[in-house]
């Protein structure tokens, strides 16, 4: 092969000889400057298959390496994803439990990465949410106690037991300063060795102790080793030595304390102190409302008594009648097992049952002789007059039927409507017996009061006619237990004999 052009660089070509393909590579070797001759051409020849053999091997190796790399990446990715998914699954399950208010659930993740930190944060959040919901439920319990009952004892009982459970303490004591005795505290106590009841006692509080706690506007810790405080119950001090004390104020006036006790030294977090203060504020509101209702109830009772005395004072013959009818009616109601609501309604009705007599002339009420038919008809108007007087007062709506019916008869021959039997309210049937009995044994302008035995005999004789037999039986039980209150000792044998004859 001759190459005329000395400037040629490395070349390659392909040719076929005897059915075999070859590759030829050649390049000039410069010799002119040294040997002063033409360039030397270097030529290499190789079979085509031998040239591409390494490339074929590379293709196969590359495919195998790529496939291996893919499976390695897939395996490592699966491990990594699974490592991430397990903590995520635990977090998801924990979140669902918290959503169902299972705030005690905890997640354990040991991955030494962000998921472990996230799990710890989740556990802290669940604990915090649990405490907050528990605090809300405790305050809700106290709220329900306020709404369902305005009894101070019921509110205190609920508050003490709820705080005992919420703070996991060994004792809770709630003390209230007596309004008329500022050095006396009514203490309500609930502790670990008497969980079946709240026990009460009255404590005489030392002046220094009273001054000490009344000067506190916020919670404070107390160690009874230095020395015992007079506002803490002695029974509790035998076992409990550490207290968180929360002063109570009503109308900016110190009125008592709540003490959360522990046998061992106990530290409260800021959240604990905040919850304790919030709950003590709730108790303050509850007690304030209860005191307000008590004052209103006293005002209401005083108003009722004043109205009753106004009616009774219209005639000297009826002085004290409403009070006595009230007492006897309530005794009968208790014997019959009436609930407190019914007894309270009956008490108000008894006080006001004759208020309609305000509209009856005194000349008729105090007439010493027999009433004319017209005068008697005027007297019979007083139940309706009383109902009309009380009608505008919504709070007395349940009293009006009793006042309207207290002169009706069980057999239907009474007034003003001639009602009978179960058409009459139970309150009216009870009041009717008490009213008639007191009227019989009391002096009137037209006659002397009957002796008690005669009055009881009439009540018995009218059983099933004027009076409900069940009420008559309850009346006899009530009066037979009033030893020395209604009759003197010398009259009791004859009275009991009459009552006994009723049941034989």
């Amino acid at each position: 092969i001759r190459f005329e052009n000395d400037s040629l660089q490395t070349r390659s070509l392909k040719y076929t000889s005897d059915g075999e393909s070859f590759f030829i590579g050649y390049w000039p070797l410069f010799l002119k400057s040294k040997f002063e001759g033409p360039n030397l051409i270097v030529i290499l020849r190789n079979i085509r298959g031998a040239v591409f053999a390494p490339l074929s091997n590379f293709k196969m190796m590359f495919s195998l390496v790529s496939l291996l790399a893919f499976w390695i990446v897939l395996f490592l990715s699966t491990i990594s994803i699974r490592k991430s998914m397990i903590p995520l699954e635990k977090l998801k399950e924990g979140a669902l439990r918290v959503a169902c208010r299972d705030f005690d659930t905890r997640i354990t993740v040991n991955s030494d990465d962000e998921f472990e930190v996230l799990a710890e944060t989740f556990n802290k959040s669940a604990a915090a949410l649990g405490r907050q919901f528990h605090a809300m439920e405790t305050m809700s319990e106290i709220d329900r106690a306020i709404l369902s009952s305005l009894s101070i004892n019921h509110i205190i009982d609920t508050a003490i037991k709820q705080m005992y459970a919420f703070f996991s303490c060994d004792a809770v004591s709630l003390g209230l300063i007596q309004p008329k005795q500022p050095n006396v505290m009514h203490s309500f106590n609930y502790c670990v060795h008497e969980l079946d009841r709240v026990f009460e006692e009255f404590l005489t509080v030392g002046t220094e102790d009273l001054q000490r706690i009344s000067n506190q506007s916020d919670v404070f810790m107390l160690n009874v080793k230095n020395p015992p405080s007079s506002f803490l119950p002695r029974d509790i001090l035998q076992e409990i030595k550490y207290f968180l004390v929360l002063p109570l104020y009503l109308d900016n006036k110190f009125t008592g304390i709540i003490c959360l006790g522990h046998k061992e030294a106990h530290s409260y977090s800021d959240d604990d102190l905040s919850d304790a203060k919030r709950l003590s504020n709730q108790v303050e509101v509850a007690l304030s409302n209860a005191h307000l209702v008590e004052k209103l109830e006293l005002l209401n009772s005083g108003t009722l008594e004043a109205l009753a005395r106004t009616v009774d004072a219209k005639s000297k013959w009826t002085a004290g009648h409403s009070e006595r009818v009230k007492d006897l009616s309530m005794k009968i109601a208790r014997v019959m097992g009436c609930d407190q609501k019914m007894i309270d309604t009956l008490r108000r009705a008894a006080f006001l049952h004759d208020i309609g007599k305000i509209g009856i002339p005194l000349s008729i009420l105090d007439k010493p002789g027999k009433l004319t038919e017209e005068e008697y008809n005027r007297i019979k108007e007083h139940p309706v007059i009383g109902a009309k007087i009380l009608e505008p007062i919504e709070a007395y709506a349940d009293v009006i039927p009793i006042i309207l019916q207290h002169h009706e008869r069980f057999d239907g021959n009474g007034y003003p409507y001639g009602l009978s039997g179960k058409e009459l309210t139970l309150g009216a049937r009870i009041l009717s017996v008490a009213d008639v009995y007191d009227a019989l044994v009391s002096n009137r302008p037209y006659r002397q009061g009957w002796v008690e035995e005669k009055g009881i005999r009439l009540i018995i004789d009218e059983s099933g006619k004027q009076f409900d037999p069940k009420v008559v039986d309850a009346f006899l039980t009530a009066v037979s237990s009033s030893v020395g209150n209604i009759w003197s000792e010398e009259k009791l044998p004859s009275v009991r004999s009459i009552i006994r004859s009723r049941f034989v």
Side-chain angles (χ1 to χ4, degrees):
I1 301 174
R2 182 177 178 81
F3 299 96
E4 299 295 338
N5 188 355
D6 292 342
S7 63
L8 290 174
Q9 301 296 321
T10 302
R11 298 284 184 92
S12 64
L13 55 88
K14 174 183 176 183
Y15 78 96
T16 303
S17 175
D18 298 329
E20 187 77 36
S21 295
F22 296 89
F23 276 108
I24 296 178
Y26 59 91
W27 69 92
L29 183 62
F30 179 68
L31 299 173
K32 185 175 181 179
S33 61
K34 187 171 183 179
F35 301 103
E36 297 183 357
N39 291 341
L40 180 65
I41 304 299
V42 179
I43 300 173
L44 295 175
R45 187 186 74 161
N46 202 351
I47 299 174
R48 184 177 182 276
V51 172
F52 284 100
L55 184 59
S56 299
N57 292 335
F58 174 77
K59 287 181 179 180
M60 184 176 67
M61 290 299 295
F62 180 78
S63 299
L64 292 174
V65 170
S66 297
L67 184 61
L68 178 62
F70 171 76
W71 284 110
I72 290 174
V73 170
L74 181 62
F75 176 73
L76 294 176
S77 299
T78 302
I79 292 176
S80 178
I81 292 172
R82 183 170 178 79
K83 187 178 179 181
S84 300
M85 289 302 296
I86 291 176
L88 287 174
E89 188 67 28
K90 289 183 177 180
L91 287 167
K92 176 185 175 182
E93 183 180 351
L96 291 174
R97 288 182 180 177
V98 169
C100 296
R101 296 193 177 186
D102 180 9
F103 300 110
D104 293 328
T105 186
R106 296 293 181 268
I107 296 174
T108 302
V109 176
N110 299 315
S111 58
D112 295 326
D113 57 10
E114 293 83 356
F115 286 110
E116 184 172 344
V117 176
L118 183 60
E120 292 175 356
T121 303
F122 175 88
N123 292 338
K124 292 178 181 179
S125 299
L129 282 172
R131 171 168 283 278
Q132 292 300 320
F133 270 88
H134 194 179
M136 292 172 63
E137 288 175 354
T138 301
M139 287 187 284
S140 178
E141 284 292 331
I142 298 174
D143 282 339
R144 280 195 287 270
I146 297 169
L147 295 175
S148 64
S149 172
L150 288 169
S151 163
I152 291 179
N153 284 356
H154 181 66
I155 292 171
I156 290 175
D157 184 83
T158 302
I160 285 179
K161 291 179 179 178
Q162 290 296 325
M163 295 182 82
Y164 178 91
F166 181 78
F167 291 104
S168 299
C169 46
D170 298 311
V172 177
S173 176
L174 192 153
L176 297 177
I177 296 294
Q178 298 301 286
K180 296 181 180 180
Q181 296 175 291
N183 277 26
V184 176
M185 180 177 288
H186 189 184
S187 181
F188 301 82
N189 312 294
Y190 190 71
C191 60
V192 67
H193 61 273
E194 290 203 44
L195 292 180
D196 59 330
R197 67 186 183 95
V198 174
F199 63 93
E200 304 177 33
E201 62 179 304
F202 288 88
L203 305 173
T204 301
V205 184
T207 304
E208 292 184 4
D209 284 337
L210 190 63
Q211 188 68 30
R212 176 186 177 187
I213 56 177
S214 62
N215 288 337
Q216 295 285 344
S217 59
D218 206 352
V219 299
F220 64 94
M221 295 299 300
L222 177 67
N223 182 351
V224 298
K225 294 178 182 179
N226 304 324
S229 301
S230 59
F231 54 82
L232 295 173
R234 294 294 164 267
D235 290 342
I236 288 182
L237 291 177
Q238 293 177 6
E239 298 184 37
I240 313 300
K241 301 298 181 183
Y242 301 91
F243 290 89
L244 177 70
V245 182
L246 301 102
L248 297 176
Y249 290 87
L250 298 180
D251 299 327
N252 296 321
K253 181 181 178 182
F254 173 73
T255 55
I257 55 169
I258 296 176
C259 298
L260 308 180
H262 297 270
K263 294 180 179 179
E264 306 294 336
H266 185 84
S267 61
Y268 284 88
S269 66
D270 291 340
D271 288 340
D272 290 333
L273 294 176
S274 177
D275 289 336
K277 187 63 178 175
R278 188 161 63 247
L279 289 172
S280 69
N281 290 340
Q282 198 79 351
V283 173
E284 288 176 350
V285 172
L287 293 177
S288 178
N289 290 343
H291 280 300
L292 179 60
V293 170
E294 277 192 350
K295 289 180 181 178
L296 290 174
E297 186 62 29
L298 288 174
L299 178 61
N300 185 38
S301 297
T303 302
L304 285 174
E305 192 169 346
L307 286 172
R309 290 181 180 181
T310 299
V311 176
D312 291 351
K314 186 172 183 180
S315 170
K316 64 179 181 178
W317 304 102
T318 57
H321 170 69
S322 297
E323 181 78 24
R324 294 191 300 272
V325 170
K326 181 262 298 182
D327 291 339
L328 185 53
S329 296
M330 293 175 69
K331 288 179 182 178
I332 297 171
R334 290 191 179 97
V335 171
M336 297 186 72
C338 296
D339 59 27
Q340 190 58 46
K341 182 180 180 182
M342 176 63 191
I343 292 173
D344 290 339
T345 300
L346 190 57
R347 177 179 61 83
R348 289 183 292 168
F351 265 132
L352 300 173
H353 74 282
D354 277 342
I355 193 171
K357 287 184 178 179
I358 291 176
I360 307 300
L362 185 59
S363 59
I364 296 177
L365 294 176
D366 283 353
K367 185 176 180 180
K370 185 178 180 180
L371 297 177
T372 65
E373 184 177 353
E374 182 181 354
E375 290 170 336
Y376 183 57
N377 288 334
R378 287 292 304 275
I379 286 286
K380 292 198 300 186
E381 293 175 0
H382 81 271
V384 176
I385 295 173
K388 288 182 179 179
I389 291 174
L390 297 176
E391 189 177 14
I393 307 175
E394 186 177 349
Y396 290 163
D398 55 348
V399 170
I400 291 176
I402 300 177
I403 292 175
L404 267 174
Q405 301 169 11
H406 77 279
H407 278 295
E408 299 283 2
R409 290 172 56 100
F410 194 70
D411 59 10
N413 293 320
Y415 62 86
Y417 303 119
L419 302 178
S420 64
K422 295 298 178 67
E423 292 178 321
L424 302 171
T425 65
L426 178 58
R429 284 177 270 153
I430 293 173
L431 184 61
S432 174
V433 172
D435 183 38
V436 170
Y437 175 76
D438 187 75
L440 290 173
V441 299
S442 300
N443 294 329
R444 289 292 184 263
Y446 48 87
R447 62 161 174 80
Q448 287 293 313
W450 290 11
V451 294
E452 289 84 353
E453 297 93 324
K454 185 178 179 181
I456 293 173
R457 176 62 67 185
L458 185 140
I459 298 294
I460 293 173
D461 291 342
E462 289 296 317
S463 177
K465 293 180 284 187
Q466 184 173 353
F467 308 119
D468 181 346
K470 292 182 180 179
V471 176
V472 172
D473 290 345
F475 160 77
L476 296 176
T477 301
V479 296
S480 66
S481 62
S482 302
V483 176
N485 292 336
I486 297 179
W487 303 288
S488 60
E489 288 291 340
E490 55 269 20
K491 285 188 176 183
L492 282 173
S494 59
V495 170
R496 284 174 173 161
S497 176
I498 295 172
I499 292 173
R500 195 159 42 246
S501 67
R502 162 69 176 173
F503 295 104
V504 174

